[in-house]
Amino acid sequence: MNDRVPERISAYLDHLAVERGAARNTLSAYRRDLGRYAHFLADRGLGDLIEVTEADVVDFAGGLREGDDDYPPLAQSSLARTLIAVRGLHKFSLAEGSVAVNVAAAVKPPAPGRRLPKALGVSDVVAILEAVGGDDPRALRDRALLEVLYSTGARISEAVGLDVDDVDTVDRSVLLRGKGGKQRLVPIGRPALAALEAYLVRGRPALIARGTAAVFLNVRGGRLSRQSAWQVLRTAAERAGVTATVSPHTLRHSFATHLLDGGADVRVVQELLGHASVTTTQIYTMVTANTLREVWATSHPRAR
């Protein structure tokens, strides 16, 4: 049998390395994935990609999902990467004129699963908020920033984008500017408002530069950056001894999850988060469902 599949794989990997600048790790993974594909085709007596049919590619994908004596079933991410490599090989071979049809075009890699947002427990959030103390301008700013993030569910970019006129202390609300220039008015809790007022009265005047409308200021008097705001959160989490991973969206995720755990309607949370679709917000209900499942499993007499 004239086996030209390894030759085509080698040409494709060279193309990725030279023309596309693929990373070394990507090339290594694709080489393993396509090596497995080559063995699969060889076992079927297929020595050239021109002999491969869509049914062969479908069968290969099915084998990846189910595993066999030599390979365990692949995780979804590995399965997707392998099929992307196979699809890329056939697409490249079509472009090079080695085959007349891309038989892998219709074999789609699995869609990535929705990842659950990382939400902190209420006690961890409180610990982070209380880890920032003091009466100096930066401490007042940092406490106000964290309180606003958790109280309103604002993105960090929205919080640092706040101007003084966006804060309504009478109605206890703030005006947030979200993605695509969309605005939303959200309520703010009393603890957050108290921290914000303390900063505006005793902290911000010491930081302000002439003509700056921003609420949250850096030490030079300009608007605080997203990166600096993220560092405030990370430093507070370290001081609080919170070992869970804390990301720029942590307090926003926690805000949404705690509201739903408390019985809030998902459409209300959608509006507060500024999501265009309720479907985007519904991922948080997965967290709540997991919580309910855990409580049921430990409490129901017939759970085990």
Side-chain angles (χ1 to χ4, degrees), residues 172-273:
R172 291 170 48 203
S173 63
V174 295
L175 180 66
L176 300 176
R177 295 175 177 83
K179 295 180 179 180
K182 294 180 180 178
Q183 299 181 355
R184 67 186 187 280
L185 197 65
V186 299
I188 184 170
R190 293 187 188 279
L193 187 59
L196 189 55
E197 289 181 319
Y199 162 66
L200 290 174
V201 172
R202 303 200 306 274
R204 186 175 179 276
L207 297 173
I208 192 170
R210 180 176 298 178
T212 302
V215 170
F216 296 109
L217 306 175
N218 59 35
V219 293
R220 296 177 300 280
R223 188 181 298 274
L224 191 69
S225 69
R226 292 177 67 255
Q227 291 77 14
S228 296
W230 159 219
Q231 186 59 48
V232 169
L233 173 57
R234 181 162 55 187
T235 300
E238 290 174 354
R239 288 179 181 169
V242 174
T243 57
T245 301
V246 177
S247 74
H249 265 21
T250 295
L251 294 184
R252 179 171 163 86
H253 293 331
S254 302
F255 162 87
T257 302
H258 297 168
L259 277 175
L260 290 165
D261 280 339
D265 184 271
V266 68
R267 294 190 180 277
V268 174
V269 179
Q270 172 199 2
E271 293 294 330
L272 293 173
L273 290 172

Side-chain angles (χ1 to χ4, degrees), residues 122 124-133 138-156 159 162 174 176 186-199 215-216 229 232-233 236 251-252 254-255:
V122 175
D124 280 343
V125 173
V126 172
I128 289 173
L129 297 177
E130 293 182 347
V132 182
R138 288 182 63 179
L140 291 170
R141 179 202 67 190
D142 293 352
R143 178 62 181 263
L145 172 65
L146 297 181
E147 290 277 9
V148 167
L149 286 169
Y150 180 58
S151 183
T152 66
R155 301 175 179 90
I156 279 188
L162 279 172
V174 295
L176 300 176
V186 299
I188 184 170
R190 293 187 188 279
L193 187 59
L196 189 55
E197 289 181 319
Y199 162 66
V215 170
F216 296 109
V232 169
L233 173 57
L251 294 184
R252 179 171 163 86
S254 302
F255 162 87

Side-chain angles (χ1 to χ4, degrees), residues 62-192:
L64 297 178
R65 293 186 182 92
E66 297 170 8
D68 53 33
D69 293 339
D70 297 320
Y71 298 97
L74 288 186
Q76 189 177 54
S77 57
S78 298
L79 171 61
R81 187 199 62 227
T82 303
L83 290 181
I84 288 170
V86 169
R87 283 163 53 87
L89 171 65
H90 283 276
K91 182 178 180 180
F92 168 77
S93 297
L94 175 65
E96 292 286 292
S98 300
V99 298
V101 179
N102 179 359
V103 296
V107 185
K108 305 293 186 184
R114 294 191 301 174
R115 299 181 63 182
L116 292 177
K118 305 284 187 181
L120 297 173
V122 175
S123 60
D124 280 343
V125 173
V126 172
I128 289 173
L129 297 177
E130 293 182 347
V132 182
D135 247 356
D136 63 281
R138 288 182 63 179
L140 291 170
R141 179 202 67 190
D142 293 352
R143 178 62 181 263
L145 172 65
L146 297 181
E147 290 277 9
V148 167
L149 286 169
Y150 180 58
S151 183
T152 66
R155 301 175 179 90
I156 279 188
S157 58
E158 293 171 344
V160 299
L162 279 172
D163 290 339
V164 173
D165 288 344
D166 296 331
V167 179
D168 189 330
T169 58
V170 176
D171 286 342
R172 291 170 48 203
S173 63
V174 295
L175 180 66
L176 300 176
R177 295 175 177 83
K179 295 180 179 180
K182 294 180 180 178
Q183 299 181 355
R184 67 186 187 280
L185 197 65
V186 299
I188 184 170
R190 293 187 188 279

